[in-house]
């Protein structure tokens, strides 16, 4: 096991009758990272996370947490793991504080320590204004944050989140991801699943791309994206006064291809590393071009992911 890995999957497999949901996966999740598990419906994300969270027994293979076999002592493992499943129930008639208190109690907290931790978690997930309201009055985004609060109540070293952002609007997703960043800064390793690579590419330091129970790619987010997209699709937004100059400059730049102007923005393919992109940014600024934003197009990540998945022969 790698020194730095908090969680290691070794030949992990799950069969449901004739379906192989997770197919002999070996993978190390580095400690202290935010690991994105990306894959379409049926890729095996829920199955894999459930096995790592001790809620589903593998057909074969090993899950190791901090080097110890998870399934040798699942109760001990659960003290170090927080799990937020894709679907979970809240007790509609309990207040937010009482709901979280029941889980704090189950994890052995009592008295003032319990009250302090519940208040801390309520604040961390941004539910102070709802602390004494019943769960049934919460919006979907608030329920997701409450589920996150439940998962972190015992300060787990490893947090496993199954599609926590599904169904959230962009603002609720941003709030959720900002909360995850705060939890990560507090020292937790986070594994989070999603259908959408572009949704997680800003949040995750590592990604693994799953398809039909197997990993197609995994590694540092930047490296995986560069591998999927040797030509990155960029969008440059400049002040109107700089548009002509920016267009003329990009037309002469070797690494730039397929330049088009759409609604006052310049879209182009860029062949190069982050360093080359930083150089381009600096050169544009030196040329007096007034940049509003220079960003990678999220749709292109989406497309790259689908082309990767579609390029695979379907399993029987
Ligand atoms: P989604 O994004 O839709 O949640 P997923 O990536 O989480 O999908 P899983 O739910 O792990 O994928 O499913 C992986 C495969 O295992 C699918 O083919 C699914 O139909 C199958 N599967 C999952 N649970 C069961 C079950 N309890 N019984 C039989 N087959 C199952």
């Amino acid at each position: 096991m790698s020194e730095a890995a908090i969680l290691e999957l070794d030949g992990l497999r799950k069969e449901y009758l004739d379906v192989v949901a997770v197919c002999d996966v070996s993978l190390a999740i580095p400690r202290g990272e935010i690991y994105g598990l990306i894959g379409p419906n049926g890729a095996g994300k829920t199955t894999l996370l459930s096995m790592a969270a001790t809620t589903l027994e593998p057909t074969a293979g090993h899950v190791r947490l901090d080097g110890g076999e998870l399934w040798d002592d699942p109760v001990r493992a659960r003290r170090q793991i927080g799990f937020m499943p894709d679907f979970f129930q809240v007790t509609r008639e309990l207040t937010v504080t009482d709901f979280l208190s029941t889980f704090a109690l189950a994890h052995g907290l009592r008295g003032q320590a319990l009250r302090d931790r519940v208040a801390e978690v309520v604040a961390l997930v941004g539910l102070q204004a709802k602390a004494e309201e019943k769960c049934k009055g919460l919006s979907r985004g608030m329920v997701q944050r409450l589920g996150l609060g439940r998962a972190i109540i015992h300060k787990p070293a490893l947090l496993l989140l199954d599609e926590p952002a599904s169904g959230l609007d962009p603002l609720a997703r941003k709030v959720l991801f900002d909360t995850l960043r705060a939890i990560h800064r507090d020292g937790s390793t986070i594994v989070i699943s999603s259908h959408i690579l572009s949704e997680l590419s800003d949040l995750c330091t590592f990604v693994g791309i799953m398809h039909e129970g197997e990993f197609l790619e995994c590694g540092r987010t930047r490296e995986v994206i560069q591998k999927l997209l040797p030509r990155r699709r960029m969008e440059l937004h400049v002040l109107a006064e700089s548009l002509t100059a920016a267009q003329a400059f990009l037309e002469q730049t070797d690494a730039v291809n397929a330049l088009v102007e759409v609604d006052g923005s310049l879209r182009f393919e860029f062949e190069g590393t982050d360093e080359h992109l930083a150089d381009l940014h600096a050169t544009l600024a030196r040329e007096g071009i007034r940049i509003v934003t220079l960003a990678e197009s999220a749709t292109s990540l989406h497309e790259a992911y689908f082309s990767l998945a579609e390029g695979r022969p379907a399993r029987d």
Side-chain angles (χ1 to χ4, degrees):
M1 166 151 176
S2 132
E3 278 290 305
I6 186 167
L7 185 75
E8 190 189 34
L9 315 179
D10 180 7
L12 191 65
R13 184 178 184 88
K14 182 67 187 181
E15 297 170 7
Y16 298 107
L17 299 174
D18 56 346
V19 175
V20 182
V22 171
C23 186
D24 307 327
V25 164
S26 294
L27 184 75
I29 307 283
R31 184 185 309 279
E33 305 289 346
I34 307 183
Y35 195 104
L37 196 57
I38 321 286
N41 290 130
K45 306 179 299 293
T46 296
T47 305
L48 186 138
L49 286 174
S50 304
M51 289 192 283
T54 76
T55 60
L56 181 71
E57 210 163 337
T59 308
H62 303 268
V63 183
R64 296 192 193 96
L65 181 67
D66 270 334
E69 286 287 343
L70 185 95
W71 284 94
D72 283 354
D73 190 350
V75 175
R76 187 184 68 88
R78 272 174 220 144
R79 284 187 217 121
Q80 296 176 64
I81 294 173
F83 181 38
M84 181 173 164
D86 48 355
F87 296 104
F88 57 89
Q89 299 280 330
V90 292
T91 317
R92 290 172 53 78
E93 295 301 328
L94 287 185
T95 65
V96 164
T97 296
D98 288 346
F99 178 76
L100 290 174
S101 298
T102 58
F103 290 94
L105 199 63
H107 279 290
L109 289 171
R110 299 287 182 270
Q112 194 57 45
L114 181 148
R115 287 190 289 279
D116 288 348
R117 179 59 185 160
V118 168
E120 189 178 27
V121 168
V122 165
L124 191 55
V125 299
L127 287 175
Q128 298 99 314
K130 300 284 174 180
E132 299 313 322
E133 291 195 18
K134 289 189 177 172
C135 294
K136 65 182 177 188
L138 300 180
S139 71
R140 183 177 172 106
M142 291 169 190
V143 169
Q144 293 296 89
R145 283 188 270 145
L146 182 60
L148 180 61
R150 186 185 94 168
I152 61 168
I153 197 82
H154 56 302
K155 297 190 180 173
L158 176 65
L159 187 57
L160 305 172
L161 309 169
D162 196 1
E163 308 220 17
S166 80
L168 298 188
D169 67 35
L171 180 60
R173 187 177 301 141
K174 181 184 179 307
V175 170
L176 179 73
F177 285 4
D178 285 347
T179 307
L180 291 179
R181 288 190 183 96
I183 293 168
H184 176 243
R185 278 196 299 276
D186 268 1
S188 290
T189 302
I190 300 178
V191 183
I192 173 171
S193 73
S194 172
H195 297 114
I196 309 168
L197 174 58
S198 52
E199 179 175 273
L200 293 189
S201 57
D202 284 345
L203 177 72
C204 296
T205 49
F206 272 74
V207 287
I209 298 187
M210 269 192 101
H211 184 64
E212 296 190 342
E214 295 176 28
F215 276 77
L216 302 186
E217 288 291 344
C218 52
R220 289 209 168 269
T221 309
R222 198 69 262 159
E223 287 161 15
V224 169
I225 288 173
Q226 270 176 15
K227 193 166 168 193
L228 293 182
L229 280 174
R231 283 188 173 189
R232 312 155 78 162
R233 263 189 234 174
M234 307 302 303
E235 187 159 341
L236 174 66
H237 184 199
V238 296
L239 291 184
E241 68 201 39
S242 294
L243 188 61
T244 310
Q247 191 155 11
F249 181 83
L250 290 176
E251 273 164 3
Q252 293 166 17
T253 305
D254 284 345
V256 170
N257 294 292
L259 178 67
V260 284
E261 190 228 308
V262 182
D263 293 335
S265 286
L266 296 169
R267 293 190 189 161
F268 56 93
E269 290 180 357
F270 183 78
E271 215 162 340
T273 62
D274 280 355
E275 284 72 26
H276 295 135
L277 207 49
D279 289 345
L280 176 70
H281 199 288
T283 314
L284 284 165
R286 258 201 316 276
E287 293 287 316
I289 291 163
R290 301 189 67 202
I291 301 168
V292 181
T293 54
L294 173 62
E296 194 148 3
S297 148
T299 22
S300 74
L301 282 180
H302 215 143
E303 284 163 14
Y305 161 63
F306 281 119
S307 65
L308 180 74
E310 281 162 8
R312 299 272 301 178
R315 277 213 327 254
D316 292 333

